[in-house]
Amino acid sequence: MRKIPFYKMSGSGNDFIIIDNRDGKMDGINLVDFVVKTCARCVSVGADGLFLIEAPKQGTDFSWQFYNSDGSVAEMCGNGSRCAARFAYLNGIAGKKMSFETLAGIIEAEIKDEPDVKVRMTEPKDYRESYTLEVEGEKIEVNSVNTGVPHCVIFSDDVENADLKKFGPALRYHEYYKPRGTNVNFCGVDENGYLRVRTYERGVEGETMACGTGSVACAMFAVSKGLLKSPVTVKTTSGKLLKVYLEDGKVYLEGEARIIYTGELNEEAVNY
């Protein structure tokens, strides 16, 4: 394997490996194995997921392949979309305003005051508010919506102490959400008027430091229930803030997309 240039980026605490594959440099590589190994922390780069930036197919600026750290393919990623947009801008692939293709649909993005990026999310679907599921022997009121990927949302008066290790996997694999499962979010309004969100992410199989599509899902229900008004400021587990705008049926997500470092993947990054 020849050395592969990459960026390591963080979208408000969600971290990603991004590779420009418009030249086909990744062709012939077992991508699932490659993703799992390079996303493994301590023994390789480590990340929540990996993006391959590809040539456009529908008249947009580019398209992508996105993999979770376990090698599974995800339709969409809110924080990742902001990182991919800034990567494209910095590498001359797109201008400050751009569009790109995901499995969830076409995403529009705008580079704001760097490192901030604002993206228009895909249209939410499968919206269902306030229903009850039995989980781990308890009846829990939940909400669910697909904001590019499916999300289950639970409101809590004590988000910091919510048992995400227990209820995250139980809801992620719950019968109701089969066959593909769901992401799981606990949220609540904090003393600063922020919407505090914690997310168990499908494909990472654990709590992440931030989740863009999850933040959007939680913000939608917080507004619907009259707890907050748009724009909603979301406080993530990383401590970083995201802004969710709900405007005339359109949904936007804004926040930082920072470059952590750039480098080249050596063969030893995957051969272990």
Side-chain angles (χ1 to χ4, degrees), residues 23-88:
D23 60 358
K25 68 171 67 67
M26 302 300 291
D27 295 352
I29 292 176
N30 182 326
L31 289 176
V32 172
D33 184 64
F34 178 86
V35 168
V36 170
K37 288 188 171 180
T38 54
C39 286
R41 302 188 188 277
C42 300
V43 292
S44 193
V45 178
D48 290 329
L50 183 146
F51 290 93
L52 298 182
I53 303 300
E54 307 278 6
K57 303 179 182 70
Q58 303 178 46
T60 58
D61 292 287
F62 63 94
S63 62
W64 79 21
Q65 293 188 64
F66 172 50
Y67 295 86
N68 291 310
S69 60
D70 67 355
S72 62
V73 174
E75 299 90 339
M76 173 55 184
C77 178
N79 288 328
S81 66
R82 291 183 293 102
C83 290
R86 189 167 183 227
F87 175 93

Side-chain angles (χ1 to χ4, degrees), residues 127-146:
Y127 185 97
R128 188 178 179 196
E129 188 170 349
S130 300
Y131 59 98
T132 302
L133 293 178
E134 186 167 325
V135 187
E136 297 291 302
E138 298 182 36
K139 290 186 177 180
I140 300 178
E141 183 177 287
V142 300
N143 311 269
S144 57
V145 65
N146 188 313

Side-chain angles (χ1 to χ4, degrees), residues 159-221:
V159 177
E160 301 303 333
N161 292 311
D163 196 345
L164 202 56
K165 288 184 178 179
K166 175 182 178 181
F167 290 105
L171 282 162
R172 183 258 190 269
Y173 290 103
H174 196 281
E175 182 73 25
Y176 184 82
Y177 301 113
K178 286 185 176 180
R180 295 206 64 193
T182 187
N183 299 279
V184 181
N185 307 267
F186 278 84
C187 66
V189 181
D190 71 10
E191 65 276 7
N192 297 311
Y194 299 152
L195 185 62
R196 174 70 174 99
V197 175
R198 294 177 60 200
T199 304
Y200 180 99
E201 285 205 50
R202 182 187 67 167
V204 177
E205 305 310 329
E207 181 175 3
T208 53
M209 298 297 284
C211 178
T213 52
S215 295
V216 168
C218 292
M220 288 179 64
F221 288 112

Side-chain angles (χ1 to χ4, degrees), residues 86 89 96 110-118 254-258:
R86 189 167 183 227
Y89 172 68
K96 282 200 167 185
E110 181 180 1
I111 307 299
K112 307 295 282 187
D113 293 330
E114 293 186 84
D116 281 6
V117 180
K118 186 176 183 178
E254 183 176 358
E256 65 172 35
R258 290 184 300 114

